[in-house]
Amino acid sequence: MTDMDAGLSTRAADTDTTSGGWTAGRISAVVIGGVLSLVALTLAGLGATALAMGAQNDGYIDLGTDRYAHQTDTYAMTSDAWRADKDMGGLFEDLRITFTPKDESTPVFVGIAEKADASRYLKSVEHVTIHDSKPQGDTASKHSGGKPSTMPEQSDAWVAKAAGKGAQTVDWNVKSGEVQAVAMRSDGASGLSGHVNVAAKVAGLTWMGTVLLAAGLVLLAGSVIWLIRKPVRRARGRTA
């Protein structure tokens, strides 16, 4: 072997060693593939979660309002007025409000009314408006008055209502405008205590979940192809 042949062989060996190592291009490819995989798994996870939430409890999502107990010695308790059509950027489609009394034998009424109608019904009724709830108790305003002249179930103030003994649930298709939720004894007596649970349906939740899951799976497949394409090319080059 001549000196020239030996030099060519040495350079060829150096080239093979370099091509088999971690070059800047290969490191960049792995980093990009890893980031794409993480994004894909995140999208797929969000999509699967959304689909699972849409498939459970008739599609209602618990908003976590039942952590605190509420109590009043008046004839009714009510929420501040709010616009359900504006919550979460207007994504709420339906609301479900459940009042569970401390004593299961208590006759309970739960109603949702437009702000003006709720104010009209409660105008002369002693009641409290709950502004905020904490473990220490509610922050509320007490309104003077007396016993309701009309039993709540007989009033036309409500856009949705439920009455009976024990826990009562009312479902309401969200409309525009300010509304209030009211809980009281259905027999018109004073004194009520219990927990309120609010759940909501998010418009297009199943559709969003499907899109996110599909996008995640497609991106995951793309990231896998991205990660293995160079090793496959090298393998083909060696066998050629």
Side-chain angles (χ1 to χ4, degrees):
M1 179 183 292
T2 65
D3 291 341
M4 182 177 292
D5 291 338
L8 289 174
S9 297
T10 301
R11 284 195 293 273
D14 290 342
T15 301
D16 289 343
T17 301
T18 302
S19 64
W22 283 95
T23 64
R26 289 174 186 169
I27 293 173
S28 297
V30 171
V31 171
I32 292 172
V35 171
L36 290 175
S37 297
L38 287 174
V39 173
L41 290 173
T42 300
L43 291 175
L46 289 173
T49 299
L51 288 174
M53 294 172 74
Q56 296 175 356
N57 300 321
D58 298 329
Y60 283 94
I61 301 171
D62 188 347
L63 301 184
T65 59
D66 60 351
R67 292 176 294 170
Y68 309 121
H70 309 281
Q71 183 172 350
T72 182
D73 57 0
T74 67
Y75 291 95
M77 59 178 74
T78 179
S79 67
D80 281 320
W82 86 99
R83 293 199 60 160
D85 60 314
K86 297 294 184 181
D87 289 343
M88 283 188 63
L91 290 178
F92 283 161
E93 187 175 41
D94 295 290
L95 280 183
R96 172 173 288 175
I97 299 177
T98 301
F99 186 91
T100 304
K102 184 177 180 180
D103 183 349
E104 294 183 357
S105 64
T106 302
V108 172
F109 173 86
V110 180
I112 298 175
E114 294 182 4
K115 181 181 177 181
D117 292 333
S119 297
R120 173 173 54 83
Y121 177 77
L122 296 169
K123 184 177 181 180
S124 59
V125 177
E126 183 187 35
H127 66 283
V128 293
T129 300
I130 299 173
H131 308 297
D132 191 19
S133 299
K134 297 179 181 179
Q136 297 82 1
D138 292 328
T139 300
S141 299
K142 189 172 182 178
H143 308 273
S144 61
K147 185 177 181 178
S149 58
T150 303
M151 294 297 97
E153 195 173 3
Q154 298 172 357
S155 172
D156 62 357
W158 320 107
V159 294
K161 62 183 180 181
K165 285 190 176 183
Q168 296 299 309
T169 299
V170 59
D171 292 339
W172 175 58
N173 181 247
V174 173
K175 300 290 191 300
S176 62
E178 288 189 296
V179 295
Q180 286 180 274
V182 178
M184 54 195 302
R185 290 176 61 105
S186 59
D187 58 5
S190 62
L192 183 64
S193 62
H195 288 77
V196 178
N197 176 265
V198 180
K201 278 186 178 180
V202 176
L205 183 63
T206 301
W207 177 83
M208 287 189 290
T210 302
V211 171
L212 287 172
L213 180 59
L217 293 177
V218 170
L219 187 57
L220 182 61
S223 67
V224 171
I225 293 173
W226 174 271
L227 286 170
I228 67 174
R229 66 188 180 92
K230 284 196 173 183
V232 169
R233 285 179 180 177
R234 287 203 308 274
R236 287 176 176 174
R238 292 193 186 104
T239 57

